Amino acid sequence: RLVAGELELLKGRLQALAGDKATAEERAEASQARLLEQAEELEALRAQLQAEAARGASQEEEVARAAEGERRAAELQAQLDHLSGELSGKEAALEGLRAEVVKEREQSEAGDAGQRVAVQR
């Protein structure tokens, strides 16, 4: 009865870990989507800067726009770097959860095998 209770606890823990894994995967996907959106915004800003320069705006205006565009590009790059770091951390956490699930599954299977041997005796 004690082994069955422990197995139920392990099954519950495995289900909780699976839920944690799903949540981490959802967060990682959301982070990736944000990264893509910000990369597209960065490209749009760069295209806008090029278009404005091609229209022949005055040199002072071009410099001011370029500086603003570069400032925004740097800001977006910093956000991209931050989200990329977050994503890496979440991927590492997900790998840790996967390893935990595998370990608990192996322990559960080992417990099941031990229980079968004990029953056979």
Side-chain angles (χ1 to χ4, degrees):
R1 290 187 187 271
L2 182 60
V3 171
E6 289 175 351
L7 284 175
E8 285 303 315
L9 286 174
L10 279 174
K11 286 178 185 176
R13 178 70 176 134
L14 283 173
Q15 288 172 345
L17 286 171
D20 290 347
K21 174 186 169 193
T23 300
E25 287 174 340
E26 289 171 6
R27 287 181 181 161
E29 288 173 9
S31 291
Q32 285 177 325
R34 282 194 306 271
L35 284 171
L36 288 174
E37 288 171 7
Q38 290 177 340
E40 290 170 1
E41 185 179 345
L42 180 60
E43 279 305 314
L45 283 170
R46 286 183 180 155
Q48 180 183 354
L49 284 172
Q50 289 172 348
E52 288 172 2
R55 281 196 294 264
S58 74
Q59 196 170 14
E60 282 184 17
E61 290 172 340
E62 280 184 39
V63 169
R65 284 188 196 122
E68 176 59 24
E70 288 302 316
R71 183 198 63 76
R72 182 67 178 136
E75 190 178 279
L76 286 171
Q77 187 63 50
Q79 289 177 2
L80 221 89
D81 292 345
H82 173 75
L83 288 172
S84 181
E86 266 187 28
L87 183 58
S88 294
K90 288 175 183 176
E91 287 172 342
L94 183 58
E95 284 304 313
L97 287 172
R98 285 185 181 139
E100 250 187 86
V101 167
V102 167
K103 181 180 175 185
E104 289 190 16
R105 186 177 297 137
E106 288 170 353
Q107 289 174 348
S108 177
E109 289 170 357
D112 289 348
Q115 189 177 10
R116 283 193 299 273
V117 169
V119 167
Q120 288 174 355
R121 288 183 183 165

